[in-house]
């Protein structure tokens, strides 16, 4: 068998010429300049400056130092410090849900492939049927890590249309995911559109935050 790192590299990154890794090899870490991550100071700062509509139950979860939200989302401290994210060990870790390292171009090429139902130009990565199954049957459920309702498809992809924390995306049904600070990968097979945004300054917003909102607002104006 192949490790997650090798599989993703051979089946996705290299065919798409995308600078994206899940478990970044040492040779890549030495060859590329990977920007160090920075974090906000405290959970309280996050809550007090949060601008998206948040109900009281979520605010309570975010403020609880022993709550699921705080324990699952790294904050200030040894385990979740900026230094921890910037180590060779962390960047080498093959963590599918949180270990990806990429730039906007690389992530965008992956998003474009999914939006085009498994192909990018002449390169086929996934079958059309595989993409359809991945995006099928979105269901809304309570996310215990984020302490909020989210809609996920059969393939574990977030359906933005049915997730309250995301801004309104126009032009069709959008799928993808976002990270702390506004980073995002999004694709809309209905319109063959894709979007990707990466940054190294991890701002207060977790999903659909201020940075991403501005990009989506511009995108919405251009969609007829």
């Amino acid at each position: 068998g192949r490790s997650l790192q090798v599989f993703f590299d051979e089946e996705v990154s290299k065919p798409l010429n995308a600078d994206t890794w899940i478990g970044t090899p040492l040779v890549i870490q030495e060859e590329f300049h990977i920007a160090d991550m920075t974090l906000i100071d405290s959970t309280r700062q996050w809550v007090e400056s949060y601008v998206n509509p948040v109900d009281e139950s979520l605010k309570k979860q975010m403020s609880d130092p022993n709550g699921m939200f705080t324990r699952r989302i790294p904050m200030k401290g040894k385990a979740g410090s900026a230094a921890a994210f910037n180590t060779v060990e962390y960047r080498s870790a093959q963590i599918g849900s949180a270990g990806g390292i990429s730039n906007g171009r690389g992530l965008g090429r992956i998003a474009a492939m999914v939006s085009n139902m498994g192909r990018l130009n002449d390169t086929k990565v996934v079958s059309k049927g595989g993409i359809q199954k991945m995006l099928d049957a979105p269901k809304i459920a309570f996310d215990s890590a984020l302490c909020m309702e989210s809609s996920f498809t059969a393939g574990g992809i977030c359906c933005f249309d049915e997730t309250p924390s995301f801004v309104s995306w126009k032009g069709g049904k959008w799928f993808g995911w976002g990270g702390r600070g506004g980073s995002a990968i999004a694709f809309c097979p209905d319109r063959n559109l894709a979007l990707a945004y990466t940054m190294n300054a991890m701002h207060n917003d977790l999903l659909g935050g201020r940075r991403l909102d501005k990009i989506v607002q511009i995108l919405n104006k251009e969609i007829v």
Side-chain angles (χ1 to χ4, degrees):
R2 291 178 287 179
S3 67
L4 177 59
Q5 177 195 73
V6 173
F7 179 86
F8 188 81
D9 189 54
E10 294 179 349
E11 300 294 336
V12 180
S13 296
K14 285 183 177 178
L16 294 177
N17 190 27
D19 294 334
T20 305
W21 302 272
I22 300 177
T24 309
L26 291 177
V27 64
I28 297 297
Q29 295 188 44
E30 294 171 356
E31 179 181 351
F32 283 75
H33 173 69
I34 300 177
D36 286 343
M37 303 302 293
T38 60
L39 294 174
I40 61 174
D41 291 332
S42 67
T43 305
R44 181 163 297 280
Q45 179 185 347
W46 187 339
V47 176
E48 291 176 349
S49 62
Y50 204 92
V51 296
N52 285 353
V54 181
D55 61 36
E56 290 303 315
S57 62
L58 179 54
K59 282 188 177 181
K60 184 177 180 180
Q61 287 280 351
M62 293 168 71
S63 302
D64 183 1
N66 298 312
M68 176 67 77
F69 186 91
T70 309
R71 287 187 283 119
R72 291 292 297 272
I73 306 297
M75 302 301 293
K76 188 176 182 180
K78 183 177 180 181
S81 68
F85 287 110
N86 300 327
T87 62
V88 171
E89 291 79 10
Y90 184 89
R91 291 172 174 174
S92 301
Q94 300 178 43
I95 308 172
S97 62
I101 292 180
S102 184
N103 53 34
R105 176 183 175 276
L107 206 60
R109 291 183 69 83
I110 294 173
M113 176 273 294
V114 178
S115 180
N116 201 37
M117 302 305 290
R119 304 181 69 96
L120 182 61
N121 300 323
D122 295 327
T123 302
K124 179 180 177 181
V125 176
V126 185
S127 69
K128 182 177 180 180
I131 297 294
Q132 290 174 331
K133 290 179 180 179
M134 182 178 75
L135 303 180
D136 190 29
K139 293 183 179 180
I140 298 177
F142 186 78
D143 189 318
S144 60
L146 300 180
C147 301
M148 62 192 298
E149 285 193 339
S150 301
S151 175
F152 288 95
T153 67
I157 309 298
C158 183
C159 179
F160 291 178
D161 299 44
E162 301 175 10
T163 301
S165 61
F166 282 103
V167 295
S168 176
W169 295 61
K170 297 181 180 179
K173 182 168 287 189
W174 284 85
F175 302 88
W177 192 239
R180 287 181 58 189
S183 63
I185 178 171
F187 32 85
C188 177
D190 290 348
R191 297 290 293 269
N192 196 218
L193 293 172
L195 178 151
Y197 174 72
T198 61
M199 80 301 135
N200 68 306
M202 301 170 76
H203 200 266
N204 303 3
D205 301 313
L206 184 68
L207 300 174
R210 283 161 278 190
R211 293 170 175 172
L212 183 58
D213 284 355
K214 293 178 181 179
I215 296 174
V216 176
Q217 288 170 12
I218 295 173
L219 177 64
N220 286 341
K221 289 179 181 179
E222 299 300 322
I223 296 177
V224 178

